[in-house]
Amino acid sequence: MVRRDDDALSWEGDDDPTLDVGSPAPGAEATGPTRPAPSPATLPDGWSAVGKGSNAVAADAAAKDSASGSSASESPDAAHERAPALGNGALIATGVIGGVYLIYAIGWLIGGLRLQGLRTYLVTDVMYIGSLWLATLAPLIWFSTVWLLTRRSATWVRFVWLAVGLLLLLPWPFVLLGAVGQ
């Protein structure tokens, strides 16, 4: 704290000059060794300063980078690869949508198994089993593909593609036949 007046509590004897560690008492001069000014704060790679005084830390980092002749402490490829962080709401929404995709996969499996008796005249067993597993894995493949391909995109782009997948990959056999079947 800058001043003793900023303390939350005040006690008898607080005005004693020996209690002030960083600054001399009012009216008294500093006698003795003074502390050197603290060195400017530095942050590890990948961290950024926020809040009060963060401008000074950012200015110090920029001055160090310009003095060393580099524009950044990491290679341009590594800076390009880093994805923007998701906020709390986006992270929760992504988890909920991922859960819906998992339910879709289960719905495709159950609905496909319900259709197994009805498909005998349409396709052979090998083709049916292959398409059943492909349909079951389609929601999971879509979610992971959207997650990987929209890493460096805006958050709304990711959610638009996830919403498109929710509409396209609706498990129609489960919706039409239900869990019990007809």
Side-chain angles (χ1 to χ4, degrees):
M1 289 187 212
V2 178
R3 299 180 323 189
R4 299 286 298 174
D5 295 341
D6 293 336
D7 286 340
L9 299 173
S10 176
W11 300 94
E12 185 65 35
D14 278 348
D15 55 352
D16 186 7
T18 59
L19 294 178
D20 286 331
V21 177
S23 62
E29 292 185 26
T31 60
T34 60
R35 291 185 179 175
S39 63
T42 58
L43 296 172
D45 291 339
W47 292 80
S48 60
V50 294
K52 187 176 181 181
S54 63
N55 295 337
V57 175
D60 291 337
K64 284 183 183 178
D65 286 341
S66 64
S68 67
S70 65
S71 61
S73 61
E74 56 188 25
S75 68
D77 294 333
H80 186 63
E81 289 292 323
R82 190 175 331 131
L86 288 177
N88 291 340
L91 195 59
I92 290 171
T94 303
V96 169
I97 292 174
V100 172
Y101 274 104
L102 184 62
I103 291 172
Y104 275 18
I106 294 169
W108 273 107
L109 181 64
I110 293 172
L113 291 175
R114 294 278 174 201
L115 284 176
Q116 195 168 10
L118 302 174
R119 58 92 192 131
T120 55
Y121 62 92
L122 294 175
V123 292
T124 64
D125 288 338
V126 174
M127 291 174 56
Y128 183 78
I129 296 298
S131 61
L132 173 67
W133 284 109
L134 184 62
T136 301
L137 292 176
L140 305 176
I141 292 170
W142 183 280
F143 181 81
S144 59
T145 302
V146 168
W147 183 263
L148 290 175
L149 293 180
T150 59
R151 284 184 304 193
R152 288 178 241 125
S153 301
T155 306
W156 69 269
V157 173
R158 178 176 284 171
F159 283 110
V160 165
W161 281 108
L162 289 174
V164 167
L166 287 176
L167 295 175
L168 288 176
L169 297 171
L170 189 67
W172 287 110
F174 184 80
V175 171
L176 295 177
L177 295 178
V180 179
Q182 292 183 2

